[in-house]
Amino acid sequence: MEVGEPPVAESQDYALRFEDLTVDDDLPLTDRIARYCRSGIALQRLVHVKMLAETAEVIGTRTTIAALIPLLSQLVVDQESVIRQHLASQLLPVALVSMVKNVGFGQPYKVSEMLEDRTIRKVYDSQGYEIVTTAVVGYLNKLIQDPDVDVRRSASDSLAGLAMQIREDDIAKAILPIPLQLAISPKASKRQLTPEQESHMEELRITAANLLAELGGAAEKDAVPVNVVRESILPAVLSLCDDPGFRARRAAAQALPRVLAGTTMGDAKSTVLPAFEALSKDEVYRVRKSTGECLVDMSRSMMIIAAKERDPAAVNTLRRKSLIPIAESLLVDPNKFVRHGMMQFLGPFLASFYPFVDSALYTILPGSSESDGSNHSGIVAQFFPHASSMVSRLNSSAAATTSAPTPTLASINAETETPLIKELQKALPQFIGASRSSTVSLKAVVSHRQKYRPDPEDIKAIVGRLLHHFTGLAKVITGDENTDAEMRVYCAYSYPAVVLLLGPENWEGQLKECFKTLLNPNYGLGEKAEPAIPPLPVKRCLASSLHTVAHILGPQIAAFDIMPIFRDFFLRDTDESVRLNMIRNFPTLLSLLDPTTRQQYLILWCEMIRGDEVLGAMKRSATNPLVLNWRQRNCVSRSIADILAMMDAAFVHTYLWPVVKLVLNDSISLVRDDAIWAIPILLKALCSENLVMDTAGGDAMRSKERWSAAACQEVISWLWESILKMTLSKSTGKLTSNGRNSNFSQRQLYCQICTALALAIQFGDGLKDPDDPVSELENKFSAHLSAQDIAEYGPYRKLSDSERSHLVRLLANDMLPVAIDFKDDGVTNVRLSLRKTLRLMPHDVAQTPAFQEATNVLEEEVQTWESFEGMQQNNPPAPPAQAQKGRPAAPTQQQEYHQNGVSNDKTREDVHDDGKGGKKKSSKGRRKEHSSETGVVTHNLASI
């Protein structure tokens, strides 16, 4: 051992010195890992074991083989289980770098990319490949037999992931012998084992079952050869079905669905389904309960087989005749835990009969979570809870994450020109795209249900044999109130999926009564029975899915059955979560109704929104808890644009414009910022062509135009008065201060309103980003379902010629000239906001001399700041002046900016608008006078 090194892990009995507890950060990365992975301090070993994967990615194949692989033999037998667990999770990326030359830092692919996409071509290193398939696999074999369950789970995960990365021909001889050896039944061994040894051996067989399930399930995507599954994996799992230990049999029941997906219909009929049926009648109730939980996965796997077979109808028949009887027997099992477990999974099991996994809809609606708040993945969860495995599995090794190398300065400073459509898409808030994505996703589901109906025999069997069990969950009485409430939640959660399967033709009867019973547990007990309050989770589930159920059932049923329920049970609910869902999904509900019915419900909605429950709460005392309902108000500001796009001009002006004014005056900035995106849609709705009048002819057209001009002038004047604190003088026709001064954030808000108008015009011209997820979703929808009913109306969608001319006129003549004056604003962030706005203007708006002058002034200022920034980098700043003794130093202008958010706003704005024709200061004079602001705004200006 070198001088100065901490003792190795084997020597734990020594007095720790301070220098032993410190880490030498000056060491090269490889030397540091090699040193501290052998440290006698467990924490140091743990920290550096967690660094193995990212270190291997940085140092490359050769150095990994030479420096990191030799460390593994000692770490595999580390006395700390947490270190062995993290080592097991690090072995997969280390092995990948060791055997593949085209991965890692400086190579075409990252480790994470290759783990996620196994189709990437791998360039194997012969020496590294040999080491991985022998030594590293041996280490995993040792860890997979570890006494600690977490270590075994991580090792199994890494071993299954490694099988996806090596050559297919080597899986059978390098990976498969490990789980096959662990799966050997104790009957085949003649040794006498102690109870502790028997328990450990049973746990190893459970691990083997999970690992075999991972390998067998990989055959679904052709990652493992089918002949390997049929000849080796399936027989081993079937042998575990007869294991003397019930835990091993339960693990085998969970493995069978995964393995089934990689076999054929003949295997399913002759071996897999009979074994599964036998397990459903096992003497131990825990095994029977497990089969009920796995029925969903069995049904899904048979759908995958049906997609591969020439006669899918035969597979559907086999599924129907084998799995439905198992579900029926488990629902009447003498053990209550088995019955309750089957009840819990009954809804997803029924939903699994919908043709989703093998359909185009599976391609259109991937089940990934979105970061923009959309209901895209939520729709998948509501309608297709069977889309992925329902039973907890080992986490996929493809999801392993490693730290990316620190980005270099060149990568940070690389500048690329952004196309106009990218800039426009980036400027549009995420919730606009999220709303559109949810709408298109829901349309795709409805269109698919109309075009590809489920098997009529499946529907007949489910309605006749299982539907009454599912609807009975809404009023089940088990003797335990908590269990009853849970069953109602399971029923409510799966209800949209069952409605999608059975369709509007089966709405009358059990489905309708179930829905009403979920909302009122006393429904059906007679007229004298008082309405009962359902469990809150039930109502929240139904509130979040009400719009999806309405769309599946269609406009007629929605108008007569769903909307009265919405009015009576959801519209004025006191729970915040229910109300949030109601506000968020209300535009989708409205889109189903005819114009007359739509107006009736929208009037009720406006009354509720403007009442004390939502927007009216802002007027109340701050001690009132309702004043904290800003999330509801933000939902209103985000959803109002979708509602505006559906209504005619007169209705918008009478009922919706007051709502818009309330959210624009909200005390929370987020609510105001989201509300401004409704203004272009409001002004578009007030266009003369959207005004409905009984009379026709030239006089009617002129009346429409006069009404439209007056309504739009009212909106714009209100924006000037409320945001800019300015009033249009009737005598001079110019804007003058109304005695109050707007702050800089309000002027920025006005610039953002102009941006919103510009984006509405630009997107109204039909501009689309091909890389936009919403556009991609629409293209998939049209291509796969041959559907042409993607409505072009809506926020920031296509405009008619009249609407475009209307918006351009308002923007160019009324809104933008006021904003252009902000080029001389005293606050840099206001000028910065104006610059962003001007860059997004349509071409025909950007041709005026005032526009060109403002653009040139702002661009010149940006260049000046960039040049000054370069000078600052070469010259250190001067030291601050000493404060007088006994007195604090006077605050600098930069400090005032930090404290107040403005920089001498008062004096500078007096010069800007003196009301007496005073000259404005030039941009050069302003920059010279306020050069102390550079430290605050240089970065912002240079980054645009």
Side-chain angles (χ1 to χ4, degrees), residues 534-795:
L536 188 56
V538 171
K539 200 162 191 177
R540 288 176 176 175
C541 276
L542 296 177
S544 64
S545 62
L546 188 68
H547 64 297
T548 60
V549 172
H551 273 264
I552 293 300
L553 295 177
Q556 186 174 359
I557 295 179
F560 286 98
D561 290 337
I562 302 300
M563 293 309 296
I565 291 175
F566 165 80
R567 178 194 60 212
D568 298 337
F569 289 92
F570 294 106
L571 185 60
R572 299 186 180 276
D573 196 276
T574 57
D575 180 68
E576 181 179 6
S577 179
V578 172
R579 192 180 293 137
L580 283 173
N581 280 306
M582 182 275 298
I583 297 172
R584 184 184 298 115
N585 300 323
F586 183 66
T588 310
L589 275 174
L590 279 184
S591 64
L592 275 173
L593 306 178
D594 61 84
T596 303
T597 310
R598 184 183 300 167
Q599 287 188 5
Q600 295 174 359
Y601 282 98
L602 191 49
I603 291 173
L604 294 176
W605 182 83
C606 289
E607 292 176 356
M608 189 276 297
I609 291 297
R610 297 175 63 185
D612 289 344
E613 294 88 350
V614 185
L615 299 182
M618 294 185 297
K619 304 175 184 177
R620 310 187 78 173
S621 170
T623 59
N624 193 319
L626 289 176
V627 82
L628 302 178
N629 68 342
W630 66 269
R631 290 181 178 85
Q632 298 176 36
R633 306 199 300 273
N634 192 45
C635 271
V636 174
S637 66
R638 291 186 171 195
S639 62
I640 192 69
D642 293 300
I643 299 175
L644 287 167
M646 302 181 206
M647 308 308 297
D648 66 88
F651 189 93
V652 165
H653 183 264
T654 304
Y655 294 99
L656 297 179
W657 167 228
V659 177
V660 175
K661 287 192 288 187
L662 287 174
V663 291
L664 283 172
N665 269 334
D666 199 272
S667 58
I668 304 297
S669 62
L670 180 61
V671 179
R672 299 193 302 271
D673 292 342
D674 288 342
I676 65 170
W677 297 97
I679 293 177
I681 316 304
L682 170 69
L683 294 174
K684 185 193 82 167
L686 296 177
C687 179
S688 58
E689 75 170 22
N690 297 322
L691 180 62
V692 178
M693 282 189 173
D694 296 334
T695 60
D699 292 340
M701 180 57 64
R702 285 190 291 272
S703 299
K704 287 182 178 182
E705 291 175 353
R706 287 194 298 269
W707 184 93
S708 174
C712 291
Q713 189 60 47
E714 177 187 344
V715 172
I716 294 173
S717 298
W718 185 91
L719 294 176
W720 289 337
E721 294 175 5
S722 299
I723 297 178
L724 298 182
K725 316 302 181 188
M726 303 176 74
T727 306
L728 185 64
S729 174
K730 295 182 179 179
S731 58
T732 63
K734 296 182 179 181
L735 287 174
T736 58
S737 175
N738 59 10
R740 296 175 295 168
N741 291 326
S742 64
N743 58 42
F744 74 100
S745 63
Q746 290 174 317
R747 299 194 293 277
Q748 285 181 288
L749 188 68
Y750 188 84
C751 291
Q752 293 169 7
I753 294 174
C754 294
T755 300
L757 275 166
L759 291 180
I761 296 170
Q762 296 271 38
F763 285 110
D765 291 338
L767 290 178
K768 287 187 178 181
D769 181 6
D771 298 328
D772 176 38
V774 181
S775 298
E776 183 180 356
L777 184 64
E778 292 174 345
N779 294 336
K780 286 182 178 180
F781 180 24
S782 300
H784 288 283
L785 298 180
S786 300
Q788 303 296 329
D789 61 341
I790 302 178
E792 286 295 332
Y793 78 89

Side-chain angles (χ1 to χ4, degrees), residues 141 144-145 159 171-185 188 201 204-205 207-209 211-213 215 228-240:
N141 186 18
I144 212 170
Q145 301 181 53
L159 191 63
I171 295 177
K173 62 181 181 181
I175 305 294
L176 200 54
I178 296 176
L180 294 180
Q181 182 65 31
L182 296 179
I184 295 178
S185 173
M201 293 297 293
L204 293 183
R205 294 196 298 276
T207 302
L211 183 53
L212 289 170
L215 295 174
V228 173
V229 178
R230 299 185 63 191
E231 296 173 4
S232 301
I233 297 178
L234 180 58
V237 175
L238 291 175
S239 67
L240 290 173

Side-chain angles (χ1 to χ4, degrees), residues 131-338:
I131 291 175
V132 168
T133 53
T134 55
V136 176
V137 170
Y139 297 145
L140 287 171
N141 186 18
K142 186 172 186 63
L143 291 171
I144 212 170
Q145 301 181 53
D146 196 273
D148 189 273
V149 63
D150 293 326
V151 178
R152 295 198 303 271
R153 185 176 290 112
S154 294
S156 299
D157 194 10
S158 293
L159 191 63
L162 185 59
M164 306 300 108
Q165 305 300 328
I166 65 175
R167 299 184 180 99
E168 287 188 6
D169 297 340
D170 293 331
I171 295 177
K173 62 181 181 181
I175 305 294
L176 200 54
I178 296 176
L180 294 180
Q181 182 65 31
L182 296 179
I184 295 178
S185 173
K187 296 178 182 178
S189 175
K190 297 181 179 179
R191 292 185 305 155
Q192 293 293 329
L193 302 176
T194 63
E196 291 78 9
Q197 290 176 326
E198 289 182 355
S199 176
H200 180 64
M201 293 297 293
E202 185 178 6
E203 290 178 353
L204 293 183
R205 294 196 298 276
I206 295 172
T207 302
N210 292 330
L211 183 53
L212 289 170
E214 289 290 329
L215 295 174
E220 173 187 335
K221 299 180 179 179
D222 300 325
V224 174
V226 176
N227 64 308
V228 173
V229 178
R230 299 185 63 191
E231 296 173 4
S232 301
I233 297 178
L234 180 58
V237 175
L238 291 175
S239 67
L240 290 173
C241 293
D242 296 325
D243 195 274
F246 80 89
R247 292 189 299 165
R249 297 198 302 275
R250 182 173 59 185
Q254 296 175 353
L256 277 177
R258 302 289 300 278
V259 176
L260 175 61
T263 59
T264 64
M265 178 181 174
D267 296 324
K269 188 174 183 179
S270 61
T271 58
V272 178
L273 288 175
F276 190 79
E277 183 179 2
L279 290 173
S280 70
K281 300 176 182 178
D282 195 275
E283 60 181 6
V284 179
Y285 81 89
R286 291 186 178 91
V287 179
R288 302 198 302 274
K289 182 175 182 291
S290 180
T291 58
E293 296 168 349
C294 295
L295 267 178
V296 181
D297 294 342
M298 289 294 291
S299 179
R300 175 180 176 273
S301 296
M302 296 197 71
M303 289 180 67
I304 295 173
I305 294 178
K308 300 177 181 178
E309 294 288 333
R310 294 183 178 180
D311 187 12
V315 180
N316 289 337
T317 301
L318 178 62
R319 176 179 63 165
R320 182 171 60 249
K321 291 185 177 180
S322 57
L323 298 186
I324 289 181
I326 293 176
E328 285 184 302
S329 65
L330 294 175
L331 286 168
V332 295
D333 193 273
N335 187 280
K336 68 176 182 179
F337 297 109
V338 178

Side-chain angles (χ1 to χ4, degrees), residues 367-507:
S368 61
S369 300
E370 304 293 337
S371 61
D372 58 5
S374 69
N375 286 333
H376 185 102
S377 58
I379 287 179
V380 176
Q382 286 182 4
F383 286 135
F384 314 110
H386 59 288
S388 57
S389 176
M390 295 294 295
V391 181
S392 299
R393 311 290 185 186
L394 293 174
N395 293 329
S396 172
S397 296
T401 57
T402 57
S403 300
T406 303
T408 61
L409 186 61
S411 65
I412 294 175
N413 293 333
E415 293 185 1
T416 57
E417 291 189 6
T418 305
L420 174 62
I421 184 61
K422 299 289 186 184
E423 290 191 26
L424 295 175
Q425 197 68 46
K426 185 178 179 180
L428 200 65
Q430 288 187 341
F431 70 86
I432 297 289
S435 174
R436 184 66 183 171
S437 176
S438 298
T439 301
V440 176
S441 300
L442 188 54
K443 282 181 176 293
V445 173
V446 174
S447 298
H448 187 270
R449 175 62 174 79
Q450 295 171 349
K451 191 171 183 179
Y452 302 100
R453 296 180 180 273
D455 190 331
E457 293 298 325
D458 287 347
I459 300 297
K460 182 178 178 181
I462 288 172
V463 172
R465 302 172 66 175
L466 292 178
L467 183 58
H468 68 282
H469 288 287
F470 175 77
T471 57
L473 297 178
K475 50 186 176 183
V476 65
I477 300 177
T478 62
D480 184 355
E481 292 184 358
N482 292 331
T483 302
D484 295 345
E486 289 178 3
M487 294 304 163
R488 290 178 172 85
V489 173
Y490 296 142
C491 180
Y493 180 80
S494 301
Y495 190 83
V498 176
V499 171
L500 176 66
L501 172 70
L502 300 181
E505 56 271 19
N506 291 294
W507 167 250

